Amino acid sequence: MTGIKTVSLVALTLLFLHLNAAGQESDRRIDSTYARLPLHEFLHRAAVQFQTGIYFDPAQLPNTKATTILEGETLEKLLEINLTPYGFFAVRDHEGNFFITRNKNLLPETNNTVSPATGKPDTTRPTAESLLVSTKNAFAFKTFKIGSMEKADGNPAEITGYITREEDGAPVIGGTVQVQETGEVTTTDREGIFRLRLNPGYYLIRASSMECEERKINIEVYSDGEIRFSLPPGMVLLNEVVIRSDPFHNVRSTKMGIEKLSGKSIREIPVVLGEKDIFKVAMLLPGVQSAGEGTQGFNVRGSPADQNLFYINNIPVYNTAHLFGFFSAFNSGAISEFTLYKSNIPAQYGGRLASVFNITAHQGNDQKFKLSGGISPVSGQVVAEGPVFKSSSTFMVSARTTYSDWLLDRIKNPELKMSEARFSDILANVTSHLNDKNEIKILGYYSYDHATLASITEHEYNNTGASVQWNHRFNGLLRMNLSVANGNYYFNEHNNALDIAAYSQDYRFSHREARLEFTWQPFDNHTFIYGANSIHYQINRGDFKPFDSTSLVKPLSFAPEKGIESGIFISDNWEINKKTAIDAGFRYNFFHVLGPAQVFTYRPLSPRTLENITDTLQFTNNELIKTYHAPDFRTGIKYQINKNIAIKAGYNRMHQYLFLLSNTIAIAPTDRWKLCDYNIRPMEGNQYSLGCYANFFADKMEFSAEVYYKAAKNMVEYKDGASFYTDAVTETGIIQGRLHAKGIELMLKKTQGKLSGWINYTYSRAQLTVKDANTGEQSNNGKPYPANYDKPHALNLVCNYKPNRRVSVSGNLVYSTGRPITFPTSIYYLNGQPILNFSHRNEYRLPDYFRIDLSVKIEGNLLSKKLAHGTFIASLYNLTGRKNAYSIYFKSHEGKITGYKLSVFGTLIPSVTYTFKLGNYAN
Amino acid sequence: MQINVLHLLMALMLLFFTGCVEEYWPEMNKYESVIVVDGLIHNGEGPYTITLSRSARPDKPVFNGVANAQVSIHDHLGAEVKLTALERGTYVTPAEFKAEAGILYQLQIVTAQGERYASDFESLPEPVGIDTVQAEVEYHTDPRGYYVKPGVQFYVSTEAAINDSACFYWRLTETFEFHADFEIYYVFDQGILREMLHRDSLRVCYRTLAIPEIFTYNTVNMNSPALVHFPLNFTDTESRRLSVRYSLLIDQYTVSQKHYAFWNSVEQQNNGQGGLYSTQPFQIQGNMYCSSNPEQPVSGNFTVAGHTAMRIFVDPPIGVNYYYPECTIDTSAMEEFYSIRSYPPLSWPVYATRDENGIPALPNQSCMDCTVSGTLEKPDFW
């Protein structure tokens, strides 16, 4: 008895094993019950029986029966025998799924990670939605029905589509949707929405974007309706692409001079001390320059740094950097992407002449909680995000702080030893999808800087901002965005360099804005954007107070400055035909200068000095002092020569109603914003641009060449030697002049492949002429001189090489002509002392600027089941250690004049940063 | 191993924060010569000096005086004072001329080539007196930033201005007594080596120097009409200045706001550059114009000021270290003595001394003869 038992046990086991093995291995066998089944039923039953996926389109299968059943054959063989006569092939993937396709060359690949323990595909990752497999050239078997048969009336149907990213539910912006049958192509907008107009019928649409895998979807169109789907992340196919931009935008869009970068790409580019800085990365784009390494702000196309408008989720940002410009104001982990508009600034933005820098904060992941962070030699940061308690809301919080004091403590220089510098910031974002038609986004941030130098000066900065946005979709054609935002910039300065003149002063700038914008697409080829926005500015120049009892300084109180800047705008993006499109925008600006104020009027045709005041006007709180108003034009036209090449031209007229009062060559942290007023007229600028754009090698490379010319008037420049500490009456210390800038920007980008990056070259000139015909005042004898940021040649090269998923190497090369500088033309003696005589401004140049940076990023292992994933980034800033000159100056000491060159980063600076995130590599 | 790498990284990163300042003289080839007028008249003792010069190339700084010009000062009542030329480019007023308050003065110059220059009419501001001058021992950081040195910092406190505010321009002159390190034991002169009779005869000297710095300040934005405790110069112990006795003469000039703006701009441009945030330098224009060619720029200024002065004496500060080089007698000095007779007549007299053991030695002449850098004549205010 025992013997039989044993044998049967063994037999059973063997059978079991055999069956199991049969199940595990690829052999599947079919029996005669399958004979004479219609093909689709045959496939269906096989799928059920063997618990394997067999994907096919029932609509495309011929209506025949599976005739040839050979018993004992594998499923694979039988499929082949029965399908080949009809031109179909059965392709299999690692998991044993079959795909029935006409495409002979279909080669399924999965992006599943492989478990190192078993060497087998790891299926513990969450699977994609059941209707799609995450493979290349996927063949979906599910068909979407759009509209309903009852409503079908033969008329073309309006289809509204909404595409999100599978990984976190964020909208796919700038994705493309192509209808195979008609060849029509459209793109998704900022909300991930696209629109199509199709006659009822069956279509195959292909949706893709640079960040995501392509997806093909079958649709059955009956009547007006909606479709929603997501795109899986494109991980294997695309390496960490340095530029994320839709291949079609470069050529197809009417907009010129736009640069877009995603938060991911920023993290690859090496910058000083391993700090990821969106503004420093922006300086690697064509047409963007900085005045030097210790200053914040940058110059776009030959314009001063105060002509750029920064928004983060509609909150205005006035202090874009921490610690005197060395570090960015925002943690790059909190940024999803930014867009820089240099040429065509959309009509919904106004108030600056040169550019608009629009930053989108990262929206929290809508599926699960994620935590990531990092440590660098001077700062630490953490980002937490996730859904809010299983609701349709998501949150994201980012916090960052420095600990650079320990570094300063160890420095020999006794002044720096006694110094201190620190900053911290926090940003929080909540997005809530109330329902299909409504979405609310709330963002708040707070940042703080504190620096003291050898107990002589002490600076403290505080920036806060908050915005609430409501997106409402009326229907497929009309959408609305209503937002209110508040930005506050505050700083406090103590200075006791001289005991008797020790003072403290604070400054507060507040910008409150309300904005209402509608997007209306009544016809296929028109997109109207219209609305209005209004900004209330209030500047408190604070009190200028003696610092302590030994100070003899007379306290001064400044009245606050108030103004309201408003605009109404309308623009239309009109696609005239497949080749031509026009973007026409019109904006009308108003600026109201409000009291309280004491306003001086001056003798006409005379210099504006205190001696020439003819009258004093008093205005009470909120009383209207003066109104300025003017139209803006924002126009662009695109002509597409063929699918891959386009020519674009644009004309923009802009106005600006406030400026940064600065008497230093580079933006100093104590520079203050000032509104235009009774005596200081608003700035106006015109920009003409023309460009040629091409994509080639199947959109793997993008090329653009743009030429521009800009003229601006009423630019505020300081009179020689004036200082705003002594000039409480600003208009007596400034002269308004003209700016002329022109240039050509060439850019070549490679966006795909193991090696990606870009190279750009810009030739540009910017010249100022400061001569006021009204008052007769002038600088530099009224002769034109190069602006402080005029750098004729600029070359940037950014490379990213990713040989495999765990290692990536990045490098930058930056070259530019040195900035202009004023040097002495002779030396003379006063009372036996040598004095330098300077004449024409900016006649010389500093030595050229050249820098190479490198960084290597090493990812932690690719295990899929792990608690946290770490990454090391080692970077070398200024690889050649070149002492790039920041300034050259002269000092007289004991009767002798010596020249000096100051370099900010005069050596090679290495650093190591460690970042971590919960989950595995792919998260 | 890991720790060492970290230290290395730290050390390398420290360099970043010190920035990097090095001496650098750029190539400058756009040389433009301007005419420079430098004159200061006041209500104190004359004579007053006006200099007329042309500016020089920045890499070859030299005073290019312009001679043979007619320089005169006119007042608004019609009087004229002609200045006499001294050495090249220097013109002085007659000794009895003194500027007075309430009169407007104008400087006129006609060069030998016929160019005419004139200033605005300037009035003399009411001079504000000096209340006190203080000298305090302090430690200052060397400009290079690597160490701290002791010295005496001078402060001036003025009297109250008659109007609300006053603008000041100071010129400082220092006079100090210093001693040679060694007595003279031997002298070689006229070919004869003999013992020195009065060993201390060249030991005590005095030196007077103008302090080559510009000092300006004003009380326009101050709460009090008097300036209190304003820092002037700092004399350190890296020279012999404070070793025996030191005196500082402060000439305080009360100037108009216009002249203050001129001197303050010159001071800022000469000293205030450097650092991350510097202002654009420019050509500083004073109150001189070229009447024969209005387009031509003229540098310098004709300053008319109210004058007061005060002198302070400072004894050597106690408890601080001195860092000036002191003479020592070493073996080479002792050997040198034996070749004293080979010194040529042009170098006579040659002095020699003895070390503490009585051995003769011949160190540098300045170690024994203070007149190499000073004068034996004691100033009358000493």
Side-chain angles (χ1 to χ4, degrees):
Chain A
M1 217 41 187
T2 6
I4 299 173
K5 261 196 189 159
T6 324
V7 168
S8 41
L9 197 59
V10 169
L12 275 171
T13 319
L14 283 172
L15 187 62
F16 176 70
L17 284 172
H18 184 240
L19 281 176
N20 253 2
Q24 293 262 12
E25 285 168 13
S26 31
D27 291 18
R28 299 172 206 257
R29 300 197 186 262
I30 300 222
D31 57 39
S32 53
T33 59
Y34 283 75
R36 301 271 156 218
L37 280 177
L39 260 183
H40 64 271
E41 251 207 66
F42 158 77
L43 294 172
H44 184 71
R45 198 186 285 193
V48 168
Q49 167 160 359
F50 293 100
Q51 294 189 349
T52 185
I54 301 184
Y55 300 108
F56 63 98
D57 178 10
Q60 298 219 346
L61 277 186
N63 211 354
T64 63
K65 301 194 193 322
T67 48
T68 318
I69 306 293
L70 300 170
E71 205 150 6
E73 266 303 334
T74 61
L75 176 59
E76 194 172 51
K77 193 83 173 99
L78 283 172
L79 285 176
E80 197 190 274
I81 295 169
N82 282 292
L83 295 171
T84 321
Y86 305 103
F88 285 95
F89 302 87
V91 187
R92 230 174 76 192
D93 71 0
H94 300 302
E95 290 174 315
N97 299 309
F98 287 94
F99 303 94
I100 313 299
T101 170
R102 281 213 139 100
N103 184 354
K104 180 160 123 156
N105 297 318
L106 183 70
L107 283 170
E109 251 176 36
T110 68
N111 62 351
N112 284 338
T113 53
V114 174
S115 158
T118 63
K120 290 213 158 73
D122 194 331
T123 50
T124 58
R125 284 192 66 220
T127 53
E129 279 175 78
S130 59
L131 50 79
L132 190 65
V133 290
S134 50
T135 60
K136 199 156 61 163
N137 292 331
F139 194 108
F141 66 82
K142 183 162 173 181
T143 304
F144 278 101
K145 282 198 180 29
I146 299 184
S148 65
M149 273 195 251
E150 298 86 47
K151 295 215 184 106
D153 57 0
N155 288 333
E158 300 284 349
I159 302 163
T160 308
Y162 180 52
I163 315 183
T164 52
R165 293 206 297 235
E166 196 180 276
E167 49 177 354
D168 59 7
V172 170
I173 302 171
T176 50
V177 178
Q178 185 179 43
V179 181
Q180 186 122 308
E181 285 74 7
T182 66
E184 189 179 335
V185 179
T186 185
T187 54
T188 59
D189 64 15
R190 301 198 58 79
E191 320 286 335
I193 294 174
F194 69 90
R195 287 187 54 251
L196 286 174
R197 210 150 182 261
L198 295 170
N199 288 318
Y202 294 106
Y203 300 91
L204 177 69
I205 58 176
R206 289 167 51 192
S208 67
S209 96
M210 283 309 285
E211 283 184 322
C212 301
E213 292 281 358
E214 189 188 76
R215 197 161 152 183
K216 286 188 198 171
I217 294 169
N218 287 293
I219 55 174
E220 280 178 34
V221 179
Y222 293 101
S223 67
D224 294 353
E226 288 174 15
I227 179 172
R228 273 176 175 266
F229 56 90
S230 61
L231 295 183
M235 243 186 36
V236 173
L237 194 54
L238 307 168
N239 295 302
E240 285 283 18
V241 168
V242 177
I243 293 276
R244 171 206 165 271
S245 84
D246 188 328
F248 290 100
H249 260 196
N250 187 41
V251 169
R252 286 184 51 82
S253 149
T254 14
K255 301 258 185 282
M256 307 168 64
I258 294 188
E259 304 287 350
K260 250 196 216 181
L261 286 184
S262 73
K264 266 201 219 154
S265 57
I266 295 158
R267 286 167 228 153
E268 297 283 351
I269 297 173
V271 283
V272 66
L273 288 183
E275 290 296 309
K276 321 303 175 290
D277 188 330
I278 52 176
F279 303 108
K280 295 273 188 296
V281 168
M283 286 193 253
L284 295 167
L285 298 170
V288 183
Q289 283 289 344
S290 90
E293 270 154 334
T295 87
Q296 63 164 298
F298 46 75
N299 307 104
V300 174
R301 291 195 168 173
S303 294
D306 63 354
Q307 290 186 0
N308 305 312
L309 179 59
F310 298 92
Y311 275 122
I312 178 166
N313 280 28
N314 284 1
I315 302 177
V317 183
Y318 285 89
N319 201 18
T320 55
H322 284 295
L323 265 199
F324 309 124
F326 289 109
F327 304 105
S328 163
F330 297 111
N331 184 358
S332 71
I335 307 289
S336 152
E337 64 161 18
F338 76 80
T339 309
L340 172 64
Y341 298 94
K342 295 181 293 188
S343 269
N344 274 47
I345 299 178
Q348 56 265 40
Y349 299 112
R352 295 290 189 283
L353 297 187
S355 78
V356 170
F357 208 96
N358 204 356
I359 303 167
T360 308
H362 187 59
Q363 229 165 260
N365 186 303
D366 68 348
Q367 301 198 342
K368 57 185 187 300
F369 176 74
K370 289 167 78 163
L371 184 70
S372 65
I375 296 185
S376 83
V378 287
S379 72
Q381 50 99 357
V382 74
V383 176
E385 58 176 306
V388 176
F389 303 124
K390 296 195 197 292
S391 68
S392 59
S393 305
T394 63
F395 78 94
M396 192 267 314
V397 178
S398 129
R400 192 164 60 142
T401 184
T402 45
Y403 32 82
S404 52
D405 285 348
W406 66 271
L407 209 59
L408 288 169
D409 254 345
R410 282 168 173 67
I411 294 174
K412 281 186 287 192
N413 180 316
E415 281 183 355
L416 281 177
K417 228 179 157 59
M418 291 196 289
S419 303
E420 176 203 66
R422 60 173 192 268
F423 70 84
S424 58
D425 59 51
I426 180 165
L427 191 148
N429 184 359
V430 172
T431 307
S432 197
H433 295 274
L434 298 176
N435 54 42
D436 245 356
K437 293 190 189 291
N438 290 296
E439 181 188 63
I440 303 246
K441 293 193 209 194
I442 303 177
L443 181 107
Y445 85 90
Y446 172 78
S447 93
Y448 174 76
D449 282 54
H450 186 254
T452 63
L453 180 63
S455 65
I456 290 174
T457 59
E458 184 181 342
H459 292 102
E460 193 182 294
Y461 297 88
N462 253 335
N463 280 283
T464 56
S467 75
V468 177
Q469 292 185 69
W470 173 34
N471 284 328
H472 177 72
R473 206 154 60 75
F474 290 98
N475 54 46
L477 307 173
L478 182 61
R479 281 198 325 278
M480 173 187 90
N481 175 300
L482 173 66
S483 70
V484 288
N486 184 348
N488 267 304
Y489 167 56
Y490 167 79
F491 83 78
N492 180 291
E493 187 202 352
H494 286 175
N495 186 316
N496 52 347
L498 186 60
D499 270 340
I500 55 171
Y503 66 87
S504 85
Q505 180 165 32
D506 48 10
Y507 174 86
R508 189 183 298 273
F509 181 93
S510 95
H511 166 141
R512 292 187 203 111
E513 182 172 347
R515 173 184 283 273
L516 178 63
E517 222 174 272
F518 292 93
T519 308
W520 182 38
Q521 293 161 296
F523 315 110
D524 224 2
N525 53 354
H526 282 271
T527 305
F528 291 98
I529 299 180
Y530 57 92
N533 77 319
S534 186
I535 304 172
H536 178 265
Y537 295 111
Q538 180 156 339
I539 301 181
N540 283 47
R541 274 190 291 169
D543 294 336
F544 185 79
K545 290 193 279 249
F547 184 51
D548 55 21
S549 52
T550 59
S551 168
L552 297 176
V553 151
K554 202 189 286 178
L556 278 176
S557 224
F558 296 98
E561 258 191 282
K562 292 188 190 182
I564 297 184
E565 181 191 307
S566 323
I568 48 172
F569 52 88
I570 177 162
S571 72
D572 177 26
N573 187 312
W574 176 20
E575 288 183 21
I576 301 174
N577 56 42
K578 280 209 162 94
K579 284 185 184 281
T580 320
I582 286 185
D583 207 318
F586 176 79
R587 182 186 172 93
Y588 205 83
N589 303 295
F590 297 90
F591 184 69
H592 304 283
V593 184
L594 302 177
Q598 185 184 64
V599 171
F600 298 120
T601 60
Y602 298 85
R603 197 167 299 137
L605 302 176
S606 310
R608 274 208 292 242
T609 58
L610 295 174
E611 293 87 47
N612 285 333
I613 293 179
T614 51
D615 198 4
T616 308
L617 308 167
Q618 297 285 357
F619 292 92
T620 57
N621 194 13
N622 294 327
E623 189 182 337
L624 180 65
I625 299 175
K626 193 161 183 178
T627 302
Y628 292 102
H629 55 96
D632 276 359
F633 304 103
R634 319 283 177 85
T635 57
I637 181 168
K638 167 204 82 160
Y639 178 72
Q640 232 176 300
I641 298 174
N642 61 41
K643 187 168 74 125
N644 290 320
I645 304 182
I647 295 188
K648 303 183 199 176
Y651 166 66
N652 274 240
R653 169 177 291 199
M654 323 275 302
H655 287 86
Q656 184 162 336
Y657 299 97
L658 75 173
F659 54 92
L660 197 57
L661 201 54
S662 169
N663 65 342
T664 51
I665 294 171
I667 304 281
T670 48
D671 288 339
R672 292 147 219 249
W673 289 91
K674 169 137 184 26
L675 301 177
C676 291
D677 59 27
Y678 189 89
N679 288 304
I680 303 179
R681 301 178 300 280
M683 284 138 264
E684 178 187 298
N686 289 300
Q687 186 183 167
Y688 307 87
S689 43
L690 178 67
C692 170
Y693 307 81
N695 281 5
F696 36 91
F697 298 133
D699 303 329
K700 290 205 182 72
M701 306 236 344
E702 288 177 27
F703 171 77
S704 68
E706 234 180 89
V707 81
Y708 67 87
Y709 173 74
K710 263 190 191 179
K713 66 180 192 200
N714 294 335
M715 306 279 296
V716 174
E717 290 286 302
Y718 254 96
K719 280 188 200 171
D720 282 333
S723 156
F724 58 78
Y725 286 121
T726 49
D727 283 359
V729 182
T730 314
E731 62 265 16
T732 58
I734 55 128
I735 310 176
Q736 293 188 276
R738 287 176 176 268
L739 168 73
H740 293 273
K742 59 186 184 208
I744 177 164
E745 294 167 9
L746 303 168
M747 167 88 134
L748 183 65
K749 289 185 213 171
K750 179 172 191 288
T751 55
Q752 297 179 38
K754 284 195 181 155
L755 182 67
S756 60
W758 73 78
I759 180 168
N760 62 60
Y761 168 75
T762 305
Y763 175 76
S764 65
R765 303 310 309 263
Q767 211 178 54
L768 282 162
T769 310
V770 178
K771 202 166 157 173
D772 192 332
N774 246 349
T775 63
E777 292 169 306
Q778 56 190 27
S779 281
N780 201 42
N781 296 321
K783 297 201 177 58
Y785 58 92
N788 291 335
Y789 35 82
D790 171 49
K791 296 183 186 177
H793 303 282
L795 176 75
N796 296 310
L797 170 67
V798 174
C799 268
N800 192 38
Y801 178 61
K802 195 160 176 144
N804 59 51
R805 276 181 290 172
R806 290 190 65 187
V807 176
S808 99
V809 180
S810 289
N812 309 335
L813 186 150
V814 177
Y815 167 79
S816 71
T817 323
R819 67 161 175 86
I821 190 163
T822 308
F823 279 160
T825 50
S826 59
I827 198 167
Y828 59 91
Y829 288 83
L830 292 182
N831 194 32
Q833 280 181 65
I835 312 285
L836 289 171
N837 192 35
F838 297 87
S839 61
H840 301 297
R841 260 196 204 184
N842 288 347
E843 263 193 324
Y844 289 89
R845 278 193 187 276
L846 286 181
D848 292 349
Y849 183 93
F850 177 74
R851 194 187 85 225
I852 295 183
D853 312 318
L854 266 189
S855 83
V856 176
K857 177 164 147 176
I858 300 176
E859 304 266 1
N861 64 51
L862 297 176
L863 284 174
S864 67
K865 260 193 179 155
K866 54 198 278 198
L867 180 61
H869 175 83
T871 309
F872 272 98
I873 303 178
S875 73
L876 295 170
Y877 183 85
N878 196 10
L879 189 65
T880 57
R882 180 181 161 90
K883 296 193 175 85
N884 287 308
Y886 175 86
S887 73
I888 291 177
Y889 60 94
F890 304 88
K891 258 182 135 86
S892 171
H893 187 62
E894 287 173 9
K896 190 171 157 269
I897 294 191
T898 319
Y900 295 95
K901 179 174 95 164
L902 169 67
S903 315
V904 175
F905 295 119
T907 63
L908 161 67
I909 299 168
S911 93
V912 174
T913 307
Y914 174 74
T915 63
F916 73 91
K917 60 180 176 184
L918 293 186
N920 61 25
Y921 168 81
N923 260 348
Chain B
M1 187 61 190
Q2 265 180 324
I3 300 170
N4 283 345
V5 168
L6 203 58
H7 276 178
L8 179 67
L9 269 178
M10 267 165 55
L12 285 171
M13 281 186 279
L14 294 185
L15 293 172
F16 140 65
F17 276 109
T18 58
C20 185
V21 176
E22 58 182 24
E23 278 189 29
Y24 185 89
W25 193 265
E27 211 181 280
M28 296 179 280
N29 46 21
K30 293 187 174 49
Y31 166 59
E32 269 177 38
S33 169
V34 293
I35 194 107
V36 184
V37 176
D38 178 23
L40 172 63
I41 68 170
H42 51 88
N43 61 330
E45 290 296 320
Y48 314 121
T49 313
I50 313 279
T51 60
L52 184 66
S53 59
R54 290 212 87 94
S55 61
R57 299 185 69 94
D59 48 350
K60 292 189 176 73
V62 69
F63 177 77
N64 290 323
V66 172
N68 303 325
Q70 312 288 326
V71 181
S72 53
I73 297 175
H74 299 242
D75 68 27
H76 74 283
L77 302 168
E80 182 185 335
V81 172
K82 282 203 173 61
L83 281 80
T84 27
L86 294 183
E87 67 264 19
R88 194 180 176 85
T90 314
Y91 304 82
V92 290
T93 56
E96 65 276 5
F97 171 68
K98 228 190 198 180
E100 284 163 40
I103 302 191
L104 301 172
Y105 296 95
Q106 181 196 42
L107 180 70
Q108 286 185 16
I109 300 176
V110 183
T111 64
Q113 288 79 31
E115 286 152 3
R116 311 181 78 87
Y117 300 95
S119 72
D120 298 327
F121 273 96
E122 307 286 353
S123 67
L124 199 130
E126 198 63 48
V128 177
I130 301 176
D131 183 52
T132 51
V133 176
Q134 289 143 312
E136 289 166 26
V137 176
E138 285 180 10
Y139 289 82
H140 282 202
T141 316
D142 168 78
R144 283 298 197 123
Y146 293 126
Y147 62 95
V148 171
K149 55 188 178 183
V152 172
Q153 172 69 52
F154 291 91
Y155 295 94
V156 63
S157 300
T158 68
E159 291 174 354
I162 290 142
N163 305 322
D164 283 324
S165 60
C167 298
F168 301 109
Y169 165 53
W170 292 277
R171 285 193 181 172
L172 309 178
T173 315
E174 58 182 358
T175 308
F176 56 95
E177 179 185 325
F178 69 99
H179 299 164
D181 285 330
F182 303 120
E183 295 179 314
I184 304 173
Y185 280 85
Y186 306 101
V187 57
F188 179 69
D189 196 11
Q190 307 305 319
I192 301 167
L193 178 67
R194 51 185 158 79
E195 278 197 13
M196 189 71 178
L197 283 172
H198 304 286
R199 294 198 193 123
D200 281 339
S201 57
L202 296 177
R203 196 122 189 250
V204 175
C205 281
Y206 304 87
R207 193 163 183 200
T208 301
L209 296 165
I211 292 192
E213 270 181 68
I214 299 173
F215 298 95
T216 63
Y217 212 68
N218 69 83
T219 58
V220 172
N221 291 324
M222 300 276 159
N223 229 347
S224 87
L227 203 56
V228 175
H229 204 71
F230 178 76
L232 293 173
N233 68 320
F234 176 74
T235 306
D236 60 39
T237 55
E238 285 179 350
S239 72
R240 286 178 189 260
R241 287 173 164 82
L242 294 168
S243 57
V244 183
R245 197 172 184 224
Y246 182 90
S247 171
L248 187 69
L249 171 67
I250 295 144
D251 284 301
Q252 178 168 295
Y253 297 101
T254 310
V255 292
S256 66
Q257 283 206 12
K258 195 173 76 163
H259 292 306
Y260 174 79
F262 172 81
W263 285 107
N264 184 248
S265 299
V266 174
E267 182 192 358
Q268 292 295 325
Q269 209 153 269
N270 250 28
N271 282 320
Q273 300 291 308
L276 290 176
Y277 310 111
S278 51
T279 56
Q280 186 77 257
F282 59 99
Q283 182 169 50
I284 301 170
Q285 189 86 1
N287 62 351
M288 294 291 307
Y289 306 96
C290 181
S291 30
S292 46
N293 178 8
E295 294 289 305
Q296 189 187 352
V298 183
S299 291
N301 198 56
F302 170 61
T303 312
V304 179
H307 172 258
T308 53
M310 188 177 279
R311 177 177 288 284
I312 181 174
F313 288 93
V314 176
D315 288 323
I318 314 163
V320 298
N321 292 325
Y322 287 83
Y323 299 98
Y324 58 81
E326 276 185 46
C327 287
T328 52
I329 295 175
D330 56 8
T331 46
S332 66
M334 292 190 245
E335 281 168 25
E336 191 62 23
F337 180 75
Y338 293 102
S339 37
I340 195 171
R341 281 173 227 270
S342 62
Y343 275 62
L346 275 173
S347 61
W348 297 343
V350 181
Y351 302 104
T353 184
R354 279 188 195 163
D355 76 347
E356 62 263 15
N357 298 323
I359 301 174
L362 180 54
N364 279 333
Q365 292 297 293
S366 61
C367 297
M368 301 156 290
D369 175 11
C370 67
T371 62
V372 169
S373 53
T375 169
L376 290 171
E377 202 181 305
K378 190 183 208 170
D380 44 14
F381 52 80
W382 206 253

